[in-house]
Amino acid sequence: QPKCIGDAALESRPDTALRYIFSSNNRIHVTGDAGVRVGNPSQVFGKLRARHTTDFDRWELRLTETVRWYSIDGFTETSGMRWSRPLTYIWLLQTSSDVKWDERSNGVTPSQTLSFYRTLSKRQAYRWTIGGIWPETPHTTEAVYTIEHAYRRLVYGDWLFMEFRPAIQFPQADNFEPHPMFTFLFHAVFGDMD
């Protein structure tokens, strides 16, 4: 969910954790994590996440609730709603709405994204996304709008991915002047990370 890309980069700091699955089936999935977030400073953290999925004809609705605690940053809570619908056998439409509460902030931070995914082959796909984030609603003065294109490719086995993400942000704090950005990532996926 493209929010401010700088914030997304901060949130992608490496974590080392153990996960316990309390419940897992096609509709309900509840997990708990405990570990260490590496950074400056490093922090101990705990996370509890619940997900409920329901199908409506060709639409899938996913509701999520996540509570996190970090030893320095404190508590955050995020409520999310995601609708997904295949448009053809190679195109997928997805829209996500999230509201985040952070004990260090005054108010909540809603965000909204609209994404189109296209499968190119079994090894590669791309995504177009437009989104917005409105920090500390109802007193927001620093909204950020983003247009992003992501290209993802499987580069080794079925677990190592490479991703390129060129994007343009339009921050309210800079009178919506465009800020081009580029992110290059490697993802290693072991087991079911959904």
Side-chain angles (χ1 to χ4, degrees):
Q1 296 96 2
K3 39 176 87 173
C4 173
I5 292 177
D7 291 343
L10 288 174
E11 290 181 3
S12 68
R13 291 175 296 183
D15 291 342
T16 302
L18 295 175
R19 171 169 292 170
Y20 182 78
I21 300 172
F22 295 100
S23 171
S24 183
N25 58 51
N26 289 339
R27 294 189 177 272
I28 298 172
H29 190 77
V30 181
T31 60
D33 295 27
V36 176
R37 166 159 283 182
V38 179
N40 188 16
S42 295
Q43 302 184 63
V44 175
F45 75 89
K47 179 175 80 169
L48 183 64
R49 182 174 187 263
R51 179 188 76 207
H52 183 268
T53 304
T54 305
D55 292 323
F56 298 95
D57 193 22
R58 298 192 66 200
W59 289 92
E60 178 190 85
L61 170 63
R62 177 175 291 186
L63 302 174
T64 58
E65 186 67 31
T66 306
V67 177
R68 295 179 179 91
W69 171 81
Y70 291 95
S71 56
I72 297 172
D73 295 338
F75 283 96
T76 65
E77 179 274 330
T78 305
S79 300
M81 177 176 66
R82 187 183 81 186
W83 290 92
S84 302
R85 184 184 195 277
L87 300 177
T88 67
Y89 71 98
I90 59 172
W91 282 98
L92 174 73
L93 166 67
Q94 197 170 84
T95 180
S96 296
S97 306
D98 295 295
V99 177
K100 180 179 179 181
W101 171 83
D102 184 327
E103 72 172 318
R104 298 169 301 164
S105 301
N106 180 23
V108 296
T109 301
S111 61
Q112 179 69 45
T113 61
L114 175 66
S115 299
F116 292 91
Y117 295 80
R118 186 178 192 277
T119 302
L120 300 173
S121 70
K122 290 183 179 181
R123 300 182 62 86
Q124 57 186 339
Y126 66 78
R127 179 190 77 233
W128 285 97
T129 300
I130 58 173
I133 182 169
W134 301 272
E136 298 185 19
T137 298
H139 309 292
T140 179
T141 57
E142 296 182 4
V144 178
Y145 299 94
T146 305
I147 300 171
E148 181 184 74
H149 175 71
Y151 171 75
R152 184 175 172 100
R153 182 177 179 85
L154 183 63
V155 293
Y156 184 78
D158 61 354
W159 60 273
L160 184 61
F161 296 85
M162 172 179 64
E163 190 168 314
F164 300 95
R165 292 186 194 169
I168 302 174
Q169 287 194 332
F170 303 90
Q172 183 179 3
D174 293 337
N175 294 316
F176 302 106
E177 288 290 320
H179 291 258
M181 306 187 85
F182 183 81
T183 306
F184 177 71
L185 301 168
F186 279 101
H187 298 274
V189 178
F190 303 99
D192 180 12
M193 296 302 205
D194 190 26

